[in-house]
Amino acid sequence: MKLLESWIRARGAWSRIFIFLVLLGLVWLPIAAPLYGWGYFSGNSNIAEILALVALYALFLWGLPQWGRRIHKWQRPFQHCGLQFHAGTGRELSTAIVIGVLGVFALFGTSTLLGWAAPTPPSPRFVRFFFEGLLMALAVGFAEEMLFRGWLLAELEKDYTARAALMMNALFFAVTHFIKPLNAIISTSPQFFGLAALGMALVWARRNQAKNAAQTSLAYPIGLHAGLIWGYYIVNVGGLSETTGLAPTWVTGINENPLAGLLGLMLLGAIAFQFAKVAQPKTHPVTPSTHARPLN
């Protein structure tokens, strides 16, 4: 086992990433196969898919500390990947959520002023969607940021420069959102640029460091990611706006997603620029803080 760990440790970042994902898939497959089979024969395929994805992420959270300690000798793997609490964590998280939500509102407001969108009466279930959207956004924000700006970024920064790790992380983030049928990839291809810009913004958000913390944390990227999702959920699912068709979708956003158009790209670029101005060169190496409470 130690020889295998040493061999993996000596591999490059992308080889380590591939090995980890393959091992994760091998452990997950015996759990997922019965779930998908049950879903197919019982007619509950959607529930089965959700349960399989939850199992996959639970295994990721279980495997991450094992991997971090054995392969990288991280004493506190979750803290190394940015999952920690300090005095400013709540403020960072809430501030980033507000930035994301207000950014989405600004996009819809701009489209409305230009006549590209029109306000509509809210859905009768708006209050439900409001809180449902927040919970969903926080769950997605945590899951994706722990994966991309937590573990994946730590792996890349170990072998690459800050700029190279930034670009590879952002591009990998965008590419993985296009794992879908070819016709869907072609029809939504303009979204790639927005996803790449969002990926860069989230890396720079990850590299922001609070004054009372010894290292950067995931609070800013989780909050920003969740805020953007929540803002879109409130407006779109809550039924607050609809497009007028007076502007092409590549401007206002494909599938009425404002982040998937030119306006959204401009917003994400502005957010990325602001976070980049105050970002640290890298998330590591740093000295653990006495103020931080790791989640191990």
Side-chain angles (χ1 to χ4, degrees):
M1 182 62 72
K2 289 188 179 295
L3 288 176
L4 178 60
E5 292 172 5
S6 298
W7 180 82
I8 295 174
R9 193 177 302 119
R11 301 304 94 195
W14 285 109
S15 294
R16 294 194 306 271
I17 291 166
F18 177 76
I19 292 169
F20 178 85
L21 293 177
V22 168
L23 292 174
L24 181 63
L26 290 174
V27 176
W28 174 67
L29 189 59
I31 301 173
L35 285 172
Y36 281 114
W38 167 78
Y40 176 79
F41 290 108
S42 66
N44 295 304
S45 56
N46 289 337
I47 297 175
E49 183 175 355
I50 292 172
L51 291 175
L53 289 175
V54 169
L56 178 62
Y57 199 77
L59 287 172
F60 167 73
L61 293 179
W62 171 81
L64 176 58
Q66 319 302 322
W67 177 270
R69 292 191 183 98
R70 291 176 177 271
I71 303 304
H72 297 297
K73 306 301 180 184
W74 296 338
Q75 294 183 351
R76 293 169 174 158
F78 283 126
Q79 183 180 9
H80 189 92
C81 292
L83 192 59
Q84 60 168 325
F85 289 126
H86 55 76
T89 298
R91 183 185 68 253
E92 294 172 11
L93 181 68
S94 57
T95 299
I97 289 175
V98 170
I99 291 172
V101 171
L102 291 182
V104 174
F105 286 176
L107 287 182
F108 279 105
T110 301
S111 293
T112 300
L113 289 174
L114 294 174
W116 299 342
T120 56
S123 166
R125 296 185 291 175
F126 178 79
V127 174
R128 171 193 165 184
F129 291 146
F130 183 88
F131 292 104
E132 178 183 271
L134 175 59
L135 292 176
M136 183 272 294
L138 287 172
V140 174
F142 171 80
E144 293 204 0
E145 293 314 301
M146 191 67 208
L147 173 62
F148 289 102
R149 259 60 63 177
W151 167 68
L152 183 67
L153 186 59
E155 291 283 358
L156 293 174
E157 287 190 340
K158 190 174 186 297
D159 289 4
Y160 296 101
T161 64
R163 179 174 295 181
L166 163 75
M167 296 304 299
M168 286 187 287
N169 188 280
L171 290 175
F172 188 73
F173 173 72
V175 168
T176 53
H177 282 74
F178 277 82
I179 302 177
K180 46 190 171 183
L182 181 60
N183 60 335
I185 292 175
I186 295 173
S187 64
T188 60
S189 57
Q191 293 182 8
F192 182 86
F193 302 102
L195 286 167
L198 175 59
M200 289 190 288
L202 291 168
V203 171
W204 279 316
R206 167 75 167 89
R207 290 175 176 173
N208 274 266
Q209 184 172 347
K211 293 181 179 179
N212 59 344
Q215 72 170 48
T216 61
S217 80
L218 286 170
Y220 276 127
I222 290 174
L224 178 59
H225 200 150
L228 292 169
I229 295 173
W230 190 29
Y232 171 73
Y233 201 90
I234 290 172
V235 176
N236 190 273
V237 180
L240 299 183
S241 178
E242 63 180 16
T243 58
T244 61
L246 297 179
T249 55
W250 62 267
V251 175
T252 57
I254 298 171
N255 297 328
E256 298 189 8
N257 181 352
L259 299 178
L262 180 61
L263 286 180
L265 188 60
M266 294 172 62
L267 169 70
L268 293 172
I271 293 174
F273 178 73
Q274 293 302 317
F275 274 111
K277 290 197 300 184
V278 292
Q280 305 297 313
K282 273 191 176 184
T283 57
H284 300 287
V286 287
T287 305
S289 170
T290 55
H291 300 284
R293 178 162 58 89
L295 292 181
N296 277 42

